[in-house]
């Protein structure tokens, strides 16, 4: 199963400033704090609820979902 996290935080590596600034712009509120300071690991439904993902798609439906987006684009 997929997991969403800042893995560097969980192993004690300092997270680089550039990517941290991107996280700061892309992730809001408690999710930003939990990712960057506490190393929280999100499963897909929790990441969706926290605003880290736009949608969750079943693994066997990913290619069809993306193909439909390309055709619509």
């Amino acid at each position: 199963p997929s997991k969403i996290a800042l893995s560097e935080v969980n192993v004690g590596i300092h997270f680089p400033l550039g990517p941290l600034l991107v996280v700061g712009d892309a992730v809001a509120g408690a999710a930003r704090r939990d990712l960057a300071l506490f190393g929280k690991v999100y499963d897909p439904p929790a990441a969706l609820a926290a605003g880290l993902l736009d949608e969750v798609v079943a693994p066997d439906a990913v290619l069809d979902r993306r193909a439909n987006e390309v055709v619509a684009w």
Side-chain angles (χ1 to χ4, degrees), residues 42-66:
Y42 290 85
D43 63 11
L48 182 64
L52 301 175
L53 302 175
D54 292 326
E55 82 180 299
V56 175
V57 178
D60 59 341
V62 170
L63 291 178
D64 287 338
R65 175 73 175 99
R66 186 60 57 211

Side-chain angles (χ1 to χ4, degrees), residues 1-67:
S2 300
K3 301 289 180 186
I4 292 85
L6 299 178
S7 300
E8 296 86 348
V9 174
N10 292 322
V11 295
I13 297 172
H14 293 288
F15 199 73
L17 179 59
L20 186 58
L21 294 173
V22 172
V23 170
D25 285 341
V27 181
R32 177 176 44 217
R33 180 200 62 224
D34 292 345
L35 280 169
L37 294 179
F38 304 124
K40 183 172 181 175
V41 178
Y42 290 85
D43 63 11
L48 182 64
L52 301 175
L53 302 175
D54 292 326
E55 82 180 299
V56 175
V57 178
D60 59 341
V62 170
L63 291 178
D64 287 338
R65 175 73 175 99
R66 186 60 57 211

